[in-house]
Amino acid sequence: MTGDTGVAVALESRPDGVPAGTAAADLVATDLAGLRSFVERATGADVDRALRVARPTLQDFAALLSPVAGERVEDLARRSAELTLRRFGRTIHLFAPLYLSNECVSVCTYCGFSAGNEIARRTLSTTEVAAEARALTGRGFRHVLLVAGEHARIVSKDYLVDCVQALAPEVPSLSVEVQVWDTATYRRLVEAGCDGLVVYQETYDRELYALVHTKGKKRNYEWRLGAPDRGAAAGMRRLGLGALLGLHPDWRTEALAVAAHARALVRRWWRCEVSVSLPRLRPAAGVVVPAHPVDDRSFVQLLCALRILLPDLGLVLSTREPPALRDALLGLGVTHLSAGSSTEPGGYAASGAAEPQFEVADTRDAAEVAGVVRAAGLDPVWKDWQRS
Ligand code: SF4
């Protein structure tokens, strides 16, 4: 198989590692420990350089994560806002998640859908999925993210392809955030009308990954890490990645890995739009509090640093974040907002029949969020893609 880079890659052939010639391999080869130690050594001059250079390196990014840069978040925000305006104009893309199913056979310690949790489970029929999509398009959405738990029989490849096929005539842009699949399955989804793949690694720390993913296919770290490469090879046009902030005791360690992975994907799959989301853990069934909460100032520092490293990167902010923070970040670097979200299967047409994945912090509806975006001098964008 040959990627966009022209490098021969064997995406399916090494279940115990990541295939050569992929962004996942580039990440594995990155000296993240060296970068983490530079974070502590970085000086004011290093931060100045990172804010000034046209093409920042990962070392510059490390300087922007440093405690020294933490004293200068306003400078980072100014640079981030300038780059965002230059690259994206005055626009914010709005999208909504559509939960297909909360069935899951995996156990992940941070998730309300985890197999051990005694919750009301539901999987939507394609008719119900179409009703949910109509509820969303009626509210203006033209970009929908299909989300499901990991249950290879109930949320099967065929089921997902059927859902995409059912929605494609009505919804111009469809992405999936479901269990990871092989390239052939991603190709089927693309052919059915799916254009985006979202795969959060959750944590890039292998030991922690093993601790929080105690049962199920999601335990395979490498297979998950290689999923964006497989999606891109299959023709996905948008790639989303991220980590769940609050799992790792050191947010800077996680940030370096996310940034290195995003940068590698941008380089390897330059035809794809790459975006990053860094949800902070929220309460959910079976999940009480985040183990290591990331404060607002650090969160803003991280988002601005990512923008400065990768000016073309989509930065996604979900309704896990409270309204005040979401509003304050408009214009500073964020490019994509979910809005009016329900994390319960069937929650748009009629809520209350199944357990949501987590509690939403911004409960404003889509029209209200669009109004706030306009009031900030930005244009809400509902649609930026039409499949041919
Ligand atoms: S994070 Fe995904 S795989 Fe893990 S329990 Fe939740 S839905 Fe299942």
Side-chain angles (χ1 to χ4, degrees):
M1 180 175 299
T2 302
D4 270 5
T5 52
V7 177
V9 290
L11 292 168
E12 327 288 343
S13 62
R14 290 177 42 185
D16 292 333
V18 290
T22 59
D26 297 340
L27 171 64
V28 170
T30 304
D31 178 14
L32 294 174
L35 289 166
R36 181 63 187 89
S37 89
F38 184 75
V39 169
E40 298 305 322
R41 295 198 311 276
T43 63
D46 294 320
V47 177
D48 286 340
R49 184 200 125 82
L51 288 170
R52 197 181 55 239
V53 291
R55 291 177 197 281
T57 61
L58 281 175
Q59 181 157 313
D60 293 319
F61 177 73
L64 294 172
L65 294 187
S66 67
V68 179
E71 304 293 317
R72 298 174 57 185
V73 171
E74 291 71 17
D75 291 342
L76 269 67
R78 214 170 294 118
R79 179 73 173 141
S80 172
E82 181 186 304
L83 291 167
T84 307
L85 180 64
R86 201 181 301 162
R87 168 61 185 85
F88 293 92
R90 305 194 69 80
T91 59
I92 294 285
H93 299 251
L94 297 178
F95 73 99
L98 193 171
Y99 278 70
L100 303 174
S101 172
N102 60 2
E103 292 285 354
C104 192
V105 292
S106 289
V107 176
C108 308
T109 58
Y110 49 82
C111 177
F113 292 171
S114 203
N117 292 348
E118 302 238 339
I119 58 167
R121 307 263 176 189
R122 185 177 179 198
T123 301
L124 304 184
S125 66
T126 47
T127 310
E128 289 169 326
V129 173
E132 287 286 278
R134 267 195 302 280
L136 288 173
T137 53
R139 292 168 204 181
F141 290 107
R142 298 293 179 268
H143 179 190
V144 171
L145 171 67
L146 304 180
V147 185
E150 301 204 349
H151 197 302
R153 183 174 54 79
I154 298 177
V155 189
S156 66
K157 308 172 189 185
D158 292 345
Y159 169 78
L160 291 170
V161 168
D162 287 348
C163 289
V164 171
Q165 255 162 2
L167 301 190
E170 312 293 330
V171 184
S173 181
L174 286 166
S175 303
V176 287
E177 184 186 339
V178 297
Q179 80 171 76
V180 297
W181 296 101
D182 56 10
T183 309
T185 304
Y186 287 139
R187 197 167 291 122
R188 283 184 65 197
L189 288 166
V190 169
E191 283 163 6
C194 180
D195 60 282
L197 173 66
V198 175
V199 182
Y200 297 149
Q201 192 65 21
E202 318 291 8
T203 175
Y204 284 83
D205 181 309
R206 284 169 192 268
E207 282 177 24
L208 180 60
Y209 189 93
L211 274 178
V212 297
H213 299 108
T214 58
K215 184 173 164 244
K217 288 191 181 156
K218 195 165 175 179
R219 282 179 61 73
N220 190 331
Y221 178 101
E222 279 85 7
W223 183 241
R224 190 167 188 84
L225 193 64
D229 289 293
R230 297 194 297 278
M236 294 284 184
R237 203 180 61 83
R238 302 179 201 255
L239 301 174
L241 66 154
L244 194 47
L245 294 182
L247 281 181
H248 198 285
D250 177 36
W251 64 268
R252 292 180 167 97
T253 295
E254 206 72 275
L256 286 164
V258 174
H261 194 194
R263 186 167 180 264
L265 284 165
V266 166
R267 291 180 158 203
R268 288 261 170 210
W269 302 102
W270 53 269
R271 289 200 178 113
C272 293
E273 271 178 40
V274 177
S275 63
V276 162
S277 181
L278 292 162
R280 292 190 286 181
L281 262 173
R282 294 279 305 152
V287 180
V288 189
V289 279
H292 308 283
V294 177
D295 64 82
D296 287 353
R297 192 172 170 90
S298 304
F299 186 56
V300 173
Q301 180 183 359
L302 165 51
L303 291 182
C304 294
L306 272 170
R307 163 62 61 238
I308 295 166
L309 174 70
L310 296 167
D312 290 338
L313 187 72
L315 280 176
V316 184
L317 206 56
S318 82
T319 52
R320 285 176 187 252
E321 296 300 336
L325 183 74
R326 286 188 9 126
D327 298 353
L329 283 168
L330 289 174
L332 286 190
V334 168
T335 55
H336 293 68
L337 287 181
S338 54
S341 300
S342 167
T343 67
E344 167 197 343
Y348 295 115
S351 69
E355 190 76 27
Q357 189 181 28
F358 56 86
E359 283 174 24
V360 162
D362 185 349
T363 54
R364 296 172 298 182
D365 67 23
E368 211 177 329
V369 172
V372 171
V373 169
R374 272 189 223 98
L378 301 165
D379 285 330
V381 175
W382 302 90
K383 175 183 170 184
D384 67 346
W385 168 251
Q386 180 68 53
R387 70 179 65 80
S388 50

